[in-house]
Structures are given as C-alpha cells and as structure tokens.
Amino acid sequence: MFFFFNLRIHANIRSMRTFSIFIFLCVLLLSSCGILRTKSVETPPPIPAVDPLETLHTEIEDVLKDMLFSTASIGIKVVAVETGEMIYAKNAQKLHHPASTTKLFTAATALAKLGSEFRFTTALYTDAEKGAQTINSIYLKGCGDPILKTEDVVNLVVKVAESGILSIAGDIIVDESYFDTVREGPGWMWDDRPYLISALSIRSLEPDPKTASRAIACGQLLKKTLEEKGVKVSGQVIVGIVPSDFRILAIHESLPLADIVTLMNKPSDNWIAEMLFKTLGAEVKGEPGSWQKGREAISAYLVEILGQPSVHRFVDGSGLSRYNLVSAELLTQLLVGMYHDFELMPEFTSSLPIAGVDGTLRSRMRGMYAAKTLRAKTGTLSGVSALAGYTRSADGEVLAFGILISHYVGSAVAARGVQDRIGNLLTGFRRRGIRIRK
C-alpha cells in the first residue's frame, strides 16, 4: 500500500511539472504574438525653449496691429543702455517730426556746453560813481533768462534805492542784444507768434502795445517800480546797448541750469526751450544768439557724442516747428550717450516726467507696471505723438527707447495708448524666469 501511495505522489509531481511547462510554453507563444508584450513608456518630446526676446517682439508686433496704423507711420528703437544691444527696432532710421522730444536735444546740449550750475543774469548798469544821488542814465540788460519774473525786477530796484540814488536825469535804456531781433522760430504756426522771443523778457508781462517789444515792457516795469520807490526818472524807455565802460549797479541771477532744464522738461515748456536754444547759440557760437546758431551748437554736440554727423534737422529748441526731423535711432543714441555721461546723467534723467507721477506723464500708465518706473519726454503736434526716454525692466536692465508716431488724423489718444502699452511691455520684460506684467 505504501508503494501505491508513493506512486501516487510521484504521479502528482509529474503532472505539476507538465502543467508548469505547459503554462510556460503558452506564455512564450502569446508573447511572440504580441498579446502579452509589455508596453514601453514613451518619453515626451522636449518642450522647445521660449526666447523672451522673441516673445517681446511678438507682443510689440501685436500692439502695432492697432487700427491706428492702417494710415499712421511709426518708428521705434529700443536699446539696452549698458551693452548697446538692440532690443527691438522698426523703421528706426525713418525721419519723423519729433515734436517736444526735441527738448531732449536742447537739454542735453545745454547741460553739456553750459554746465548744470550755469545761471542767467539780468543786470542794471550805470556810469555814475558809487554814492552818487543823481545819475545820467541806467541800462537794463537781459541775457536770456527764461524764468525772469516781475519780482526779480522789483528786487533790482530795491538795490538801486539802497545805493542812495534819488533820480535818473536821462533815459532807461533796455539792452536785448544778447539775442538777435528775430522774434519767431522758423516754421512756427501763426498761433505760436505770441512768444515773441527776446533776451530781455518776462513771460507774464505782455509786450509793449506800441512797439510789440518785450524788452520795452520790462523797461516800463523798471521805470514804474523806480518811481514807486521814490526814485525820479526824467527820461523815457528806449532800446540801446550797454557801453563797455559801464559798471554793474545791481544784478539778478537765475536758478541753476539743472533746475531750469527740469522746469522745461517736466511740463514741456516751449518758452524755456526757445530761450535755451538761443542762449546756446550765443554762448557756443557767439553773440547774438539766434536759431541758426542754436541749431549749429546742437549739431556740433551730436557729432561729439556720436563720432560722426547724423541725419536730422533742428530749427528750434522746443519742437514747435514742423521743419524739425529726427529718427528713433538718433533719439536712442542721444539717450544712451547721456546715460553714460557720469556728470550729466543725474540732472538729465531727473528732468524727465515719471509715468503716473508728474509732468506730462502724470495721468499716463497708471495701474501699469511702468508706473513710477518709466521716465520719458512726450511730444505732441497735430497728427504727431512721440515718447522717448528710459525704463527699467523686471530684471533691472535699463532700456532706452524712442517711439515716433505720425500722419494720423484726430486725437492723440490712440497713439499714446500704443506708446503706453509698449512702455509697459518693456518695463515688464524679463530675460529669466516668469514675466511680470500688468
């Protein structure tokens, strides 16, 4: 019986081996048919790297799809100021009317050639000895002070009274020879004529109604104030030139040029710009200052900083004239050059309006990433809108840009909107990591 039990065990073992072999052969057969083949894990294709610069280009091009450009023209240049790398450009060499971005060239040349501490003078001259109570005549000479006020003339009179002078037997002679006698800038429209530029001017004081002279009006103010202070004036107010042997009786000095440039650029003051332009002519090219000499002074300065002549045309200092022509390329070249000038950069950049904060950019780019960061000079004429300046990217990279838009009809709102959107893209631009945008 034990024998049969043992046979039964061996039979079961052989059956199990046979079954295992059978299962193994089935698995091989099914695998060879592909039925039980293990599916391999597929590696996803690599995601192509996104070039931030290409993304920026695409975003700017999307902005330029605005309906405004179905008729309008645009020129843009954006440069990294530290490296000189071109970030974006479109029609950068094309000439446009720069409007008030012309003031960037006026400001830069004035700071470079006159110095940030330069002060304008307005003075009284006489040939009388010190201590004299009666003098023959008195000269009032202006040297282009763009911010001269009536109270400044009053203060001069106070100094005359303090010197002991009681009467003027002769005339009050006004000297405006520091500038030429051309009162209107080349290409100005008829409604710009009230400026009537003179080297001796008080902007708030209307020109003399008989002579249309601002210098005569200043002389009339001087005469009236002298008489109010008890100094008798026997003569009239006439135009003349201070003799070389006359001495200064009293003098008024303006604020430093750095402050005046800010007073020009923040609100885009045309009057100050034109007075500076002619002053450049007088100081750099010799008296009398003129629009022609001012243009020559700026052109010569551009050759200094660029190393070669550039294609442009300036005829005034404010951008009122449509004879002015500038490219976005030249704007950025000036901006980069000024940024690298250690002495001039602080005064130049601080004179520019800040987006959403002050000046002509006070109400622009509010709520955008560019607010409180972007600094730029605006420019507007009928059918012309310009913006040029600096911004700091999300990576801390300083970018200089010029955006010139022209040949559109109607309001400048659309053109400014395009500039603001581009300015915001530049401020949010990041070469590394996640873009910061608003």
Side-chain angles (χ1 to χ4, degrees):
M1 184 163 179
F2 176 78
F3 174 77
F4 285 104
F5 175 76
N6 212 18
L7 285 176
R8 199 176 295 122
I9 291 175
H10 283 291
N12 288 338
I13 292 172
R14 284 196 300 270
S15 297
M16 290 176 65
R17 288 178 178 171
T18 302
F19 180 77
S20 297
I21 293 171
F22 174 76
I23 293 299
F24 175 75
L25 292 174
C26 287
V27 169
L28 287 177
L29 178 62
L30 292 173
S31 297
S32 64
C33 295
I35 296 175
L36 294 181
R37 184 177 299 162
T38 303
K39 186 176 181 180
S40 62
V41 178
E42 295 183 3
T43 303
I47 300 173
V50 177
D51 184 349
L53 207 53
E54 289 184 8
T55 300
L56 178 65
H57 287 190
T58 300
E59 291 173 333
I60 294 176
E61 291 294 334
D62 286 344
V63 172
L64 298 184
K65 292 176 183 177
D66 192 286
M67 284 296 295
L68 174 70
F69 300 108
S70 60
T71 56
S73 303
I74 188 166
I76 305 178
K77 185 71 179 286
V78 183
V79 177
V81 297
E82 295 294 342
T83 64
E85 177 191 359
M86 191 275 289
I87 301 299
Y88 180 85
K90 189 180 188 69
N91 302 325
Q93 304 290 342
K94 298 290 185 181
L95 295 173
H96 292 256
H97 302 306
S100 282
T101 57
T102 301
K103 295 181 178 72
L104 291 172
F105 296 90
T106 303
T109 309
L111 288 169
K113 295 302 177 181
L114 306 180
S116 60
E117 293 300 317
F118 177 87
R119 294 172 188 263
F120 295 86
T121 60
T122 305
L124 289 173
Y125 292 80
T126 182
D127 63 346
E129 297 292 333
K130 290 183 178 180
Q133 293 185 334
T134 300
I135 60 176
N136 293 325
S137 58
I138 192 169
Y139 284 79
L140 175 63
K141 181 172 183 178
C143 291
D145 187 347
I147 58 172
L148 187 67
K149 301 179 181 65
T150 57
E151 52 263 40
D152 299 327
V153 174
V154 171
N155 290 334
L156 287 175
V157 172
V158 170
K159 294 178 182 178
V160 172
E162 290 174 348
S163 72
I165 294 174
L166 298 177
S167 65
I168 300 172
D171 297 319
I172 290 177
I173 301 132
V174 292
D175 184 345
E176 58 176 346
S177 62
Y178 185 71
F179 291 168
D180 66 7
T181 56
V182 179
R183 309 298 185 196
E184 302 165 9
W188 285 7
M189 303 293 285
W190 66 270
D191 50 354
D192 293 321
R193 290 181 180 178
Y195 282 116
L196 297 175
I197 300 298
S198 166
L200 177 56
S201 300
I202 296 175
R203 182 172 15 181
S204 62
L205 194 63
E206 290 297 320
D208 176 65
K210 293 182 180 179
T211 61
S213 168
R214 289 190 177 276
I216 290 290
C218 289
Q220 296 288 6
L221 172 65
L222 176 64
K223 181 181 179 181
K224 177 184 176 183
T225 308
L226 282 167
E227 292 172 339
E228 289 175 349
K229 297 295 183 182
V231 179
K232 182 181 178 181
V233 181
S234 301
Q236 303 300 312
V237 177
I238 60 175
V239 177
I241 297 177
V242 178
S244 59
D245 59 343
F246 272 44
R247 68 178 179 87
I248 293 178
L249 179 61
I251 190 169
H252 166 74
E253 291 188 336
S254 72
L255 294 171
L257 179 62
D259 295 333
I260 293 175
V261 165
T262 297
L263 292 174
M264 175 181 72
N265 279 340
K266 291 282 188 182
S268 198
D269 192 302
N270 295 327
W271 171 272
I272 294 177
E274 297 306 339
M275 297 288 271
L276 278 182
F277 196 74
K278 279 198 164 186
T279 298
L280 278 170
E283 293 293 321
V284 176
K285 296 295 180 178
E287 298 180 28
S290 66
W291 274 286
Q292 175 66 23
K293 290 179 180 178
R295 180 186 70 81
E296 291 172 358
I298 289 180
S299 295
Y301 176 62
L302 287 176
V303 171
E304 285 182 27
I305 63 174
L306 301 181
Q308 60 183 1
S310 57
V311 180
H312 67 274
R313 183 169 67 202
F314 293 113
V315 299
D316 68 11
S318 67
L320 280 172
S321 177
R322 290 181 181 271
Y323 293 163
N324 296 313
L325 291 171
V326 168
S327 66
E329 170 75 22
L330 184 58
L331 275 169
T332 54
Q333 285 178 320
L334 174 75
L335 291 165
V336 170
M338 290 301 290
Y339 193 87
H340 287 291
D341 191 313
F342 181 79
E343 293 184 2
L344 305 181
M345 187 270 283
E347 285 80 7
F348 182 76
T349 56
S350 65
S351 76
L352 301 179
I354 305 171
V357 175
D358 62 12
T360 53
L361 287 179
R362 179 182 293 106
S363 61
R364 292 177 61 176
M365 290 174 253
R366 287 184 175 179
M368 291 185 172
Y369 193 66
K372 301 181 180 180
T373 299
L374 183 144
R375 291 174 175 261
K377 183 71 200 71
T378 59
T380 305
L381 291 172
S382 178
V384 176
S385 183
L387 187 70
Y390 307 96
T391 194
R392 187 178 295 277
S393 75
D395 285 333
E397 190 174 16
V398 179
L399 306 177
F401 63 89
I403 308 172
L404 298 168
I405 302 174
S406 59
H407 304 108
Y408 60 86
V409 177
S411 169
V413 170
R416 290 171 181 167
V418 166
Q419 293 159 358
D420 292 356
R421 290 158 64 192
I422 293 174
N424 197 53
L425 288 173
L426 297 178
T427 310
F429 175 58
R430 186 186 290 275
R431 293 183 188 265
R432 303 175 298 276
I434 300 172
R435 293 288 302 277
I436 298 178
R437 297 175 61 187
K438 279 189 180 180

